[in-house]
Structure formats: structure tokens, C-alpha cells
Amino acid sequence: MLTHPTLDQLHALGLHGMAKAFIDIQASGEANGLGHAEWLALLLDRESSLRRDKRLSARLRYAKLRQQACIEDIDYRTPRGLDRALFAQLAECSWIDAHANLLICGPAGVGKSWLASALGNKACRDNRSVLYQRVPRLFSELALARGDGRHQRMLRALGRVDLLILDDWGLEPLDAAARHDLLEILEDRYGCRSTIVTSQLPVDQWHALIGDPTYADAVLDRLVHNAHRLDLAGESLRRTRAQHVRKA
């Protein structure tokens, strides 16, 4: 007799996980063998699990990671110079708590974006906020935002996430507006947030890429000196997979 009023109250309170667990336990025939404390523990566990899953889904939607990548799926067999011990350490995400950065460099196709997305996925699973951005598109959107009043709001959003992923850095030189925006983003994040940058260019070429020496010094000072490095090499994994497909 109490089933329906109880369910109504649980749903009214937003305890949908508990309501679902209540129905499942009743339907399984286990209800009569459980004490009150066991009932409550099962209901609370289901509610906690549901809320945790919802928070993770929301973080992943906001992150907009480029690829559905997980650290558990990392391929260490492919020869590309990936330091397994270092990456395992990075996967623990303590460097994010320390507000350090990560620079992933290497030729096209060696998996830079995939590795960055995998670390972003792990950060989301560890209850951290993440945002993925391709650098060319980001600066185009920021330029448009100057004209419609969204510019400062976008900069604030980029500055407050726990982990910002800037992918495909260095495909083209920066103009004056992009230099200014990049410095503002990194200034807001320096010492309190972490950033991943992926690039086909080695770090020693970034100064020239930024263009203006004063801006370049300021940007690299905030980005490089407290950064971990993954320097990858080898052939494109896309090309290798395509060759395997043709042979098959």
C-alpha cells in the first residue's frame, strides 16, 4: 500500500535513483529479506551512482572532446616515443591539482589529439571541468565575439575550467588580436588552472610563431616553464591503419 505514495515522494524530491532502486528491489523479491538499514543503504547507493553518472555526462558534454578516447585504450605498442611511465603518471591527474601544463608535440597523425582527449576524459571522470578547443577555430570565434558582445564571456569561460585543451596549435601564425587573446587566457589560468597544448611544431619554434617578441616571451613564460612534455615521433597512425585496411 505504501509503494505508490513512497515513489511519488521520491520523485517529488528529485530522488529518481532511489525511486528506481525501490522498484527494482520490490520486483526482485529481495525486499522481505532486507532490514531497514540495508534497504536504505541500497537506495542511497543507487541514488549516488545515478547522480555521479549524470555529472559525468554533463562534464563530457561541456568538454566537447575531439575524440572518444580513454586512457585504458592507449596503444603503447606503436613506435612513437610515448613514455609509458610518464603517461601513466599524467593519467593520475595530480599535475592538474598542481596547476601544471602539458605540451604534446609531434608530426601529424601520431595521436596527439587522441592522447589529449584521453587525458581530458580521465579528468572529467575525476570530477574536473574540461574544455577542448581547436586553436584556429577558437581565435576565429573570439574575433567574431568582439563584434557581438560575447568576447569577455568567452574569455572567462576559457579561464575558469580546470583543464583547457588547445589542440592544433601552430598551424598558422598569430595576428595581433590572437596574440592578445592567448596572453589573456594564459594569464587568467597561470598558477590556478592547467592547459594541454598539442602542436606539430617543436616548442623551440613557438617563439617565432607568436610573432611579437614581447608577447612571445610573456606567453611562453606562462605556458612552458611549468609544463610536462610529451615529444612524439613516428609515422602517421592514420596512414598505417589505412595500409592495413588495404592489405586486408
Side-chain angles (χ1 to χ4, degrees), residues 25-67:
I25 293 171
Q26 289 279 48
S28 69
E30 298 177 7
N32 294 333
L34 296 174
H36 295 305
E38 292 172 311
W39 255 97
L40 181 60
L42 287 172
L43 296 180
L44 289 173
D45 182 68
R46 188 72 68 85
E47 181 67 30
S48 177
S49 178
L50 178 65
R51 293 190 179 200
R52 186 168 55 250
D53 291 345
K54 284 185 175 180
R55 288 194 299 268
L56 175 57
S57 296
R59 287 193 297 272
L60 288 171
R61 283 196 303 272
Y62 182 80
K64 298 179 181 177
L65 297 172
R66 183 173 183 173
Q67 302 184 51

Side-chain angles (χ1 to χ4, degrees), residues 165-177:
I165 300 174
L166 298 177
D167 195 16
D168 286 338
W169 156 261
L171 295 182
E172 56 190 22
L174 302 183
D175 60 21

